[in-house]
């Protein structure tokens, strides 16, 4: 099935998570990518060559001794726009780090000049072994994007860090890396914190005061930062799937969010507050369900302002970004509100977007957004209507320029 889409090599190493790479392959082909699968011999013990061949529409080989007349061991890597290895085993990471080339995949890794993304999956002990840590550091120092494994159930009864991230999220991450083309991981070595979603302020065990923030923009910011090489912590109320390579801390209320964000912000290079933090919470949270009464008067108390607290304790060089979803009113435009808020909050950048009506492209829960990003230095960056992923990349461009 020849396509004009980006050429992606999907390397598959010999781990049980190879079965999840089948789903990744399907997602990448469905979104128009031209995929060549290069498994290792061990990978074929988990998933056979016919599966890879049928789903990619291309021949499958593990060896440099097949199709020698086509010099496949050089050409596959040279022609690729992206090489993604999922799963990458400890053995594959070690071979790649030290430039070994004893099969088609490791040869391909040496000839590729495009971005290379590796998604390791292995038992926690292997991931945390000093040899693996050193190999990952070496690969990252050369610009390879090594994605942190997810935490959860492993092959046996045990659980821990070492799972392959969700294939859908890996496919989205591949899309972000491809969208940046040959640009290197410019946030490599940086630690960033993103907050997302609307906080929930409980009235009783059943009910809460909330807002309509879906968390999509924050997830897009986290994904984009991973694609640019950052270590990313996402403090979120959202139930969206965890973005690949991101440490996700689930929170509920504004107070939970404050605790998690302030703790994680220590030593962070940048904090982006994309969350819609409730301004108020009920004075009292009942332990039992509140019974219906003729009228109900709720007393609310103001929540702490997390962004202001971040500004007050900001370490030298830390970049702080706020979001402001505004509607214009009377004589005051959305941007006037934004400028006023930037001055009031004291952050470095404020992403101001107009809340569109329901069904509007910039309305809540949509996948698109448009914004004007105001800088404390007086800069104004207009971001036209586009995906939340695209807006996320502009935010990181502005952050990277200030780091
Ligand atoms: N924010 C925060 N803590 C709060 C409220 C808001 O950290 N208690 C952050 C948001 O995450 C966002 C920015 O501040 O990055 C602006 O949020 P917004 O709700 O627009 O600001 P408010 O100060 O609450 O102003 P308004 O009076 O417009 O609600």
């Amino acid at each position: 099935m020849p396509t004009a889409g980006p050429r992606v090599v999907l390397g598959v190493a010999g781990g049980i998570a190879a079965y999840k790479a089948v789903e990744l392959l399907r997602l990448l082909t469905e979104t128009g990518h031209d995929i060549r699968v290069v498994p290792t011999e061990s990978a074929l013990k988990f998933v056979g060559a016919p599966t890879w061949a049928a789903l990619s529409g291309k021949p499958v080989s593990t060896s440099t001794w097949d199709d020698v007349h086509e010099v496949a061991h050089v050409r596959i890597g040279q022609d690729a726009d992206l090489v993604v290895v999922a799963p990458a085993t400890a053995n594959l990471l070690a071979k790649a780090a030290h430039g070994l080339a004893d099969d088609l995949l490791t040869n391909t890794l040496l000839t590729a000049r495009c971005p290379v993304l590796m998604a390791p999956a292995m038992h926690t002990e292997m991931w945390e072994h000093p040899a693996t840590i050193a190999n990952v550091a070496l690969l990252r120092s050369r610009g390879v994007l090594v994605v942190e494994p997810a935490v959860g159930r492993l092959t046996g009864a045990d659980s821990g860090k070492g799972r392959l991230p969700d294939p859908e999220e890996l496919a989205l991450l591949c899309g972000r890396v491809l969208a940046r083309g040959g640009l290197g991981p410019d946030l490599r070595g940086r630690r960033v914190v993103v907050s997302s979603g609307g906080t929930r302020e409980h009235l009783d065990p059943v009910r809460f005061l909330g807002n309509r923030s879906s968390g999509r923009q924050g997830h897009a910011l986290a994904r984009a930062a991973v694609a640019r090489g950052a270590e990313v912590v996402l403090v979120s109320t959202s139930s969206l799937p965890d973005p690949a390579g991101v440490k996700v801390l689930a929170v509920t209320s504004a107070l939970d969010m404050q605790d998690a964000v302030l703790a994680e912000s220590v030593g962070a290079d940048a904090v982006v507050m994309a969350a819609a933090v409730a301004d108020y919470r009920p004075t009292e949270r009942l332990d039992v369900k509140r019974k219906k009464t003729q009228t109900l008067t709720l007393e609310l108390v103001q929540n702490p302002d997390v962004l202001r607290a971040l500004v007050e304790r900001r370490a030298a060089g830390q970049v702080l970004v706020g979001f402001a979803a505004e509607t214009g009113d009377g004589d005051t435009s959305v941007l006037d509100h934004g400028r006023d808020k930037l001055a009031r909050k004291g952050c470095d950048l404020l992403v101001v977007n107009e809340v569109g009506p329901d069904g509007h492209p910039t309305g809540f829960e949509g996948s698109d957004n448009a914004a004007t990003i105001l800088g404390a230095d007086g800069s104004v960056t207009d971001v036209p209507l586009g995906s939340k992923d695209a807006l996320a990349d502009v935010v990181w461009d502005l952050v990277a320029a200030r780091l």
Side-chain angles (χ1 to χ4, degrees):
M1 64 186 89
T3 62
R7 284 158 303 188
V8 177
V9 173
L10 173 59
V12 186
I16 185 75
Y19 80 92
K20 292 190 191 168
V22 177
E23 178 69 1
L24 177 61
L25 168 58
R26 200 186 58 78
L27 291 164
L28 289 173
T29 44
E30 276 176 3
T31 43
H33 299 83
D34 178 7
I35 316 279
R36 168 88 189 218
V37 183
V38 183
T40 63
E41 268 306 303
S42 309
L44 295 186
K45 291 190 191 300
F46 292 100
V47 179
T51 301
W52 305 119
L55 289 175
S56 67
K58 290 203 170 59
V60 168
S61 166
T62 62
S63 160
T64 47
W65 303 112
D66 295 331
D67 303 319
V68 175
H69 62 291
E70 290 182 359
V71 204
H73 73 289
V74 177
R75 192 181 42 76
I76 294 173
Q78 280 176 340
D79 289 351
D81 297 310
L82 172 71
V83 177
V84 48
V85 184
T89 55
N91 186 49
L92 189 281
L93 293 171
K95 289 208 282 188
H98 298 283
L100 298 188
D102 58 358
D103 64 2
L104 192 55
L105 178 54
T106 44
N107 274 269
T108 298
L109 287 168
L110 286 184
T111 54
R113 293 295 175 269
C114 59
V116 175
L117 190 162
M118 294 198 180
M122 63 195 74
H123 261 76
T124 313
E125 291 83 348
M126 298 175 90
W127 175 248
E128 289 176 349
H129 192 282
T132 306
I133 291 172
N135 291 332
V136 168
L138 193 51
L139 288 164
R140 284 180 175 157
S141 74
R142 291 194 205 116
V144 175
L145 196 69
V146 183
V147 178
E148 290 291 308
V151 177
R153 179 84 190 269
L154 301 172
T155 320
D158 46 351
S159 59
K161 191 166 184 177
R163 277 170 68 85
L164 190 73
D166 176 40
E168 266 191 55
E169 286 296 327
L170 275 179
L172 291 172
L173 184 59
C174 290
R176 294 324 301 153
V177 176
L178 279 164
R180 279 178 52 75
L183 296 172
D186 61 347
L187 294 178
R188 188 176 77 208
R190 300 295 187 176
R191 184 163 182 281
V192 304
V193 179
V194 177
S195 71
S196 79
T199 61
R200 292 179 171 196
E201 310 300 326
H202 275 278
L203 294 160
D204 64 24
V206 180
R207 306 181 184 94
F208 59 84
L209 301 176
N211 62 66
R212 296 180 59 196
S213 170
S214 66
R216 283 198 174 83
Q217 186 60 66
H219 272 57
L221 282 155
R223 193 179 297 124
V226 171
R228 298 168 75 140
E231 180 193 337
V232 185
V233 180
L234 177 65
V235 180
S236 183
T237 63
S238 171
S239 54
L240 293 170
D242 291 354
V246 172
K247 175 177 154 189
V248 180
L249 301 178
V251 294
T252 305
S253 67
L255 292 177
D256 297 342
M257 180 156 283
Q258 171 178 254
D259 290 349
V261 169
L262 294 186
E264 292 295 332
S265 70
V266 178
D269 295 289
V271 183
V272 181
M273 285 296 299
V277 186
D279 289 331
Y280 302 95
R281 67 178 182 280
T283 311
E284 180 187 32
R285 176 183 173 162
L286 299 185
D287 292 335
V288 292
K289 190 179 167 194
R290 185 190 292 271
K291 288 293 165 206
K292 188 156 60 188
T293 50
Q294 201 65 42
T295 59
L296 170 65
T297 306
L298 288 178
E299 193 181 74
L300 305 176
V301 57
Q302 210 176 71
N303 271 325
D305 189 321
V306 185
L307 186 53
R308 279 241 29 105
L310 286 166
V311 168
E312 277 158 21
R313 62 183 65 194
R314 162 190 2 216
Q318 189 179 59
V319 178
L320 299 176
V321 185
F323 268 67
E326 303 284 352
T327 57
D329 50 68
D331 298 337
T332 317
S333 71
V334 167
L335 271 191
D336 291 338
H337 280 303
R339 287 201 182 89
D340 179 54
K341 193 165 285 181
L342 178 66
R344 192 156 41 84
K345 296 275 183 176
C347 49
D348 300 287
L349 294 162
L350 188 74
V351 184
V352 185
N353 76 296
E354 183 164 12
V355 180
D358 281 358
H360 187 269
T362 63
F364 280 103
E365 287 134 30
S367 55
D368 286 350
N369 212 345
T372 300
I373 306 177
L374 303 175
D377 54 5
S379 66
V380 178
T381 310
D382 278 316
V383 188
L385 184 63
S387 67
K388 290 185 173 173
D389 288 322
L391 173 58
D393 261 326
V394 180
V395 171
W396 291 123
D397 286 344
L398 295 171
V399 169
R402 283 162 174 76
L403 285 172

